[in-house]
Amino acid sequence: MQILPTSDRVTIVAHATTARSACPSCGVASPRVHSYYVRTLADLPWQGRVAALQIRARRFRCANADCQRQVFAERLPEMAGPWARRSERLAEAQRHIGLALGGAAGTRLATRLAMPVSGPTLLRLVATTKLPASPPPRVIGIDEWAWRRGLNYGTIVCDLERQQTVELLPDRNAETVATWLRQHPSVEVIARDRSSVFGRAIREGAPDATEVADRWHLLHNLGDALWAAIGRHRGAVAAALTVVDTPPGTPAQEAPRVIGTTGPTLDALRRQRSDERQARYTAMRRLHEESVPARLIAPALGMSQRTVERWLTAGGAPEHRRPPVASMLDPFRRFLEQRWAADGLTASGYRGLGSEIDYVKVGDELQMFGRGGDYLV
Ligand SMILES: [Zn+2]
């Protein structure tokens, strides 16, 4: 072995010390050296200098007369793969840099650390990272997933028991999903949306699996069904509520089921919120006149900096107005008011339908928010 240092590089000249090498085709060890060649491997840096191994490698003749292969290059199993141009330990270090920083930034850091590598190579190293083995999934969820929103979509497969993504399929075709399911016979339960595509994929790829609707899609379906069912009888519901609204003392045909309103009414809540906003604006204005910057006013008032700037520009808190269109919720407004009073649901939010999925927000209008966008109930 020989070490050849220069100001910024170190070259280590070395050779394998084993007398024999095993043929990669038949596995028989051969002592018969055919020829020599020089193999260069980039290696981990030495004292801040770029290091390379210059290996005097051998070609061997296969000792097995029945083997197809006559000559083979000796393998360096613990050092590097057969065609690799970097040692395994350097590849490992560069792979970690790539995982942490990606191509361009990774290249800059690796060069600074005397392990120069190009961006594309770094990304290739990242792409060949072996994923930790995970047990075969039993309960999965499949859904659409955007490689680029609005442009192209793939399919995401999640292990719902381990809460891990197990696969990103390149498209959202039934055939692709069915093929994946056939390759994963361990799947017993599949949560999916209403898409007929996934339904078909499951029938083809995992006909014995139990299909379930996930919570979000279940609520979404329920909302649609309610919309269709109640929408048809809107006139009748409005007429029924007119009876409830009849002032006491008015003779009625039959005693209506009067829903109590012991708590604050929507109008009272609205006034209260308006007063609160006004108070906030006054405080904001005062701080602003004391030359406190918006970025400091925002945390003090529990608002975003953008809102503070908007209010200051507008010269006041914006007044929220109810949209002129009648809401589907109008028939239930009184019922909801009663619920706020009785159950202490706050006027600003209700988060009861699912931890991360939907909630009904009561501002000036009532809205249900879902992951797929917000929609008015
Ligand atoms: Zn052989």
Side-chain angles (χ1 to χ4, degrees), residues 8-11 43-46 48-52 111 114-116:
D8 59 346
R9 292 183 72 87
V10 173
T11 305
D43 197 15
L44 285 176
W46 184 79
R49 289 183 235 190
V50 175
T111 304
M115 296 184 262

Side-chain angles (χ1 to χ4, degrees), residues 83-162:
W83 301 101
R85 293 168 63 184
R86 66 197 66 236
S87 67
E88 196 43 58
R89 57 195 185 190
L90 174 66
E92 191 59 20
Q94 290 174 335
R95 180 177 295 125
H96 280 289
I97 292 175
L99 281 168
L101 294 174
T107 298
R108 287 195 293 275
L109 180 65
T111 304
R112 185 73 188 75
L113 296 176
M115 296 184 262
V117 60
S118 73
T121 303
L122 209 51
L123 295 180
R124 190 174 49 76
L125 287 169
V126 168
T128 55
T129 304
K130 287 197 180 58
L131 293 173
S134 58
R138 198 179 68 85
V139 181
I140 60 164
I142 51 178
D143 206 349
E144 278 180 4
W145 177 77
W147 290 96
R148 240 180 118 185
R149 194 174 289 273
L151 282 181
N152 62 62
Y153 286 86
T155 303
I156 185 168
V157 183
C158 295
D159 184 327
L160 296 182
E161 290 180 302
R162 287 178 195 82

Side-chain angles (χ1 to χ4, degrees), residues 322-335:
R322 258 187 78 202
V325 285
S327 157
M328 274 293 280
L329 267 171
D330 281 349
F332 312 108
R333 206 161 274 281
R334 189 177 280 261
F335 168 71

Side-chain angles (χ1 to χ4, degrees), residues 3 10 46 72 75 80 107 139 145 160 164 187 216 281 287:
I3 296 173
V10 173
W46 184 79
F72 62 88
R75 300 298 196 251
T107 298
V139 181
W145 177 77
L160 296 182
Q164 280 172 351
V187 172
W216 188 85
Y281 177 70
L287 290 168

